[in-house]
Amino acid sequence: MAEMLTAEEVAARVRDLPALPTVVTEVLRVTRDPDSSVFDLTEVLARDQALTAKVLRLANSALFGFPRRIATLSDAVVLLGFHTIKSLAIAGSAFSVMDRAVEGYGLERGWMWQHGIAAGAAARFLAKKWRPALAEEAFIGGLLHDLGKIVLDSYVGEAFDEIIKKVRRENKPFASAERDILGFDHAAVGALVAEAWALPGDLVAAVRYHHSPSEATEDTALVGLAHLGNIVALSTGFGVGADGLAAPLDGDVLAQLGLGVGHVEEAIAQMPDALADSEQLLELER
Ligand SMILES: [Fe+2]
Ligand SMILES: [Fe+2]
């Protein structure tokens, strides 16, 4: 029988993950402040040259693709806007945390990133059909939703046989079998990471409830989008690990978002492009 984890053990592991650079916290602050100007955002980003270079590379990738080349930071901020720059800054700095094998979940190096990019792209696509203003936040929620897997990696690796037995015998979602065996699931742990990174409450909620959207009571706008983003990424084979497809769709989410199965099918149909993007981005970032 696997040992149940205590909250303290989980918190200690969360603290061991690299923090988001302070420049990202500053970017979040500036993009939230209605009084900020393009100049304020450019000034914050320009303090970190490595991140600036990444933002420009991402801005010129197909995923964020702008019809003409973006050569300078101020062009990027003006042409892509505050929200997209925020996505780029978070994606650029989360990459180093996500670009690793997560063996406990059967994820080879690159798969975590690919799954996140696919879920983010799907969540953004669906947000555009529902509340376009949320599109970039939805991307970040999708990108980061499985962060907790990195923390639980070795624990799940050790308890994997027990967890998967429970999934098969009781026909349970993988996350709920994780909770039964370990005491925590990767969604709850991922939310702790997002909190430690000082991400806004709606992003923390998206991570926390991506497998249980009906349990979310506040900050719910991004939850359903992260849930659907994950389902689309899995059903198109992006970064599917050893937990496989044991992540059922909560049909109520579609009704809440006023979306239909047709929208999900559309999101699935545009996934091959997202794969090409995620591979291109891996090349760019490494
Ligand atoms: Fe998950
Ligand atoms: Fe996932």
Side-chain angles (χ1 to χ4, degrees):
M1 200 52 191
E3 291 260 340
M4 286 278 209
L5 289 166
T6 65
E8 288 75 21
E9 283 172 315
V10 172
R13 288 293 298 262
V14 168
R15 279 197 301 273
D16 288 343
L17 279 189
L20 280 188
T22 39
V23 61
V24 176
T25 317
E26 280 292 289
V27 167
L28 285 168
R29 188 186 57 73
V30 169
T31 48
R32 251 194 314 247
D33 180 352
D35 294 330
S36 316
S37 66
V38 165
F39 177 74
D40 296 327
L41 182 55
T42 317
E43 199 189 40
V44 164
L45 270 174
R47 281 181 223 151
D48 186 325
Q49 297 213 338
L51 188 62
T52 298
K54 277 185 178 186
V55 163
L56 285 174
R57 279 201 302 272
L58 285 166
N60 285 298
S61 72
L63 186 66
F64 289 92
F66 196 75
R68 70 175 173 81
R69 225 191 111 67
I70 296 175
T72 68
L73 192 56
S74 48
D75 275 357
V77 174
V78 172
L79 295 172
L80 300 174
F82 271 28
H83 289 290
T84 304
I85 296 296
K86 181 168 69 178
S87 287
L88 295 172
I90 294 178
S93 47
F95 177 78
S96 55
V97 181
M98 294 173 72
D99 184 34
R100 59 178 83 184
V102 191
E103 280 155 17
Y105 288 86
L107 296 169
E108 291 177 19
R109 186 175 171 203
W111 292 11
M112 180 87 193
W113 174 250
Q114 195 181 70
H115 180 67
I117 289 284
R124 180 165 62 185
F125 178 88
L126 292 167
K128 285 184 177 162
K129 308 278 168 193
W130 178 53
R131 286 188 199 167
L134 287 179
E136 290 306 327
E137 301 279 334
F139 173 79
I140 302 169
L143 178 73
L144 301 179
H145 76 275
D146 273 338
L147 269 182
K149 287 186 174 178
I150 295 168
V151 178
L152 286 187
D153 186 8
S154 60
Y155 298 105
V156 165
E158 275 167 36
F160 189 79
D161 291 345
E162 270 178 87
I163 295 173
I164 205 73
K165 216 181 273 172
K166 215 167 175 84
V167 168
R168 296 204 176 117
R169 285 210 186 121
E170 299 172 34
N171 195 23
K172 274 196 163 193
F174 194 88
S176 91
E178 279 180 322
R179 267 196 307 275
D180 291 351
I181 304 282
L182 297 175
F184 287 87
D185 66 19
H186 68 275
V189 174
L192 297 178
V193 178
E195 271 169 0
W197 284 359
L199 294 178
D202 51 356
L203 281 171
V204 175
V207 174
R208 178 170 284 134
Y209 298 112
H210 74 269
H211 287 296
S212 56
S214 62
E215 286 173 24
T217 50
E218 53 186 50
D219 287 332
T220 55
L222 300 178
V223 171
L225 292 165
H227 177 71
L228 295 174
N230 177 50
I231 301 278
V232 171
L234 288 176
S235 64
T236 44
F238 286 88
V240 180
D243 48 345
L245 302 178
L249 169 70
D250 180 337
D252 291 345
V253 168
L254 287 177
Q256 276 159 19
L257 273 57
L259 296 172
V261 175
H263 292 110
V264 176
E265 284 167 358
E266 268 181 70
I268 288 172
Q270 54 97 49
M271 278 294 111
D273 296 335
L275 175 62
D277 291 344
S278 78
E279 279 176 348
Q280 188 200 0
L281 291 175
L282 266 180
E283 297 301 311
L284 286 171
E285 294 283 309
R286 275 189 189 149

